[in-house]
Amino acid sequence: MAKKKGKPAEIEEEIIYVSKSELKREAQEFHQLGSEIAKMGKKQRERLPLNDDLKEAMVVADKISNKSDAYRRHLNYIAKTLRTVENIEEIKAIIDVMLNKNNQAEVMIKKIEQLRSDLIEQGDDLINETIEQYPALERQKMRQMVRNAAKEVKAEKPARSYKELFQYLKDAIM
């Protein structure tokens, strides 16, 4: 057989089949994301890189949030608008950071509270270890604050120094 000259062999494009269930799951994800954004406070929403259409949609969502059917339909509109946004990954990343940041702060505060209690119980040994770990802390000030807080705890007085010690640790560690 003779080879045909002229056009090179056409490259067949691969057709990607997306199931109906997968489309529904994707739509549900956008609906959930839109709902999360709509539930956020205005200050938090300002930190998101939303386009003008989404910003306007969020203003309307705030106004109709107490009307269930209208709000649900509006969330569908927000989800539809989110599907066309180009920077959706950036928006998701910022939301994840904002939500996780609160959890990290809570964990850190609990850690500082535990450190404060341990400092009051153990005294100088733990003060030295803490200062090695966090060099921003001042040894003399730490000893004085721990001593005053321990006195307050023993005398069951108002915990002024106890709170001051926590604030000092929080400022230095966080």
Side-chain angles (χ1 to χ4, degrees):
M1 294 184 104
K3 292 183 181 178
K4 293 183 181 179
K5 292 186 180 179
K7 297 181 182 177
E10 293 182 23
I11 301 174
E12 292 183 23
E13 292 184 22
E14 189 174 320
I15 299 173
I16 300 173
Y17 177 74
V18 180
S19 70
K20 214 175 195 183
S21 298
E22 191 173 336
L23 290 173
K24 287 180 182 178
R25 279 191 295 273
E26 188 176 302
Q28 187 66 29
E29 285 178 25
F30 282 113
H31 194 274
Q32 183 67 30
L33 180 64
S35 177
E36 285 179 17
I37 294 172
K39 288 178 185 175
M40 287 182 173
K42 291 178 184 175
K43 294 280 185 186
Q44 286 180 320
R45 260 192 251 140
E46 289 174 2
R47 294 173 36 195
L48 297 175
L50 302 176
N51 62 19
D52 293 334
D53 293 339
L54 281 171
K55 287 179 183 177
E56 291 172 15
M58 293 303 159
V59 170
V60 173
D62 289 340
K63 291 179 183 176
I64 63 171
S65 62
N66 57 351
K67 300 173 183 163
S68 62
D69 285 341
Y71 185 68
R72 181 187 51 79
R73 286 191 304 271
H74 192 68
L75 284 179
N76 289 339
Y77 169 74
I78 291 172
K80 182 180 173 184
T81 308
L82 278 172
R83 284 185 216 129
T84 62
V85 173
E86 295 174 2
N87 62 346
I88 192 71
E89 293 302 321
E90 184 181 353
I91 292 171
K92 285 181 181 179
I94 292 172
I95 290 172
D96 287 343
V97 167
M98 287 169 44
L99 296 177
N100 194 16
K101 190 175 188 180
N102 295 336
N103 293 340
Q104 289 174 347
E106 289 175 15
V107 168
M108 190 56 119
I109 286 174
K110 290 188 187 292
K111 183 178 174 183
I112 293 170
E113 287 175 348
Q114 184 62 44
L115 178 63
R116 175 185 59 187
S117 299
D118 292 345
L119 282 168
I120 291 171
E121 290 175 12
Q122 296 178 16
D124 282 343
D125 295 334
L126 190 57
I127 290 174
N128 293 334
E129 290 177 26
T130 306
I131 290 174
E132 288 173 10
Q133 193 173 6
Y134 305 104
L137 297 170
E138 298 175 26
R139 185 179 314 276
Q140 184 177 357
K141 189 172 184 176
M142 281 281 295
R143 284 187 175 150
Q144 181 182 4
M145 293 176 106
V146 168
R147 194 176 327 116
N148 290 342
K151 286 179 185 177
E152 285 180 355
V153 169
K154 287 179 185 174
E156 297 180 7
K157 288 186 177 180
R160 188 175 140 244
S161 296
Y162 193 74
K163 291 176 185 175
E164 286 177 2
L165 177 60
F166 174 77
Q167 192 62 41
Y168 180 68
L169 290 171
K170 182 180 170 188
D171 291 342
I173 293 173
M174 292 178 92

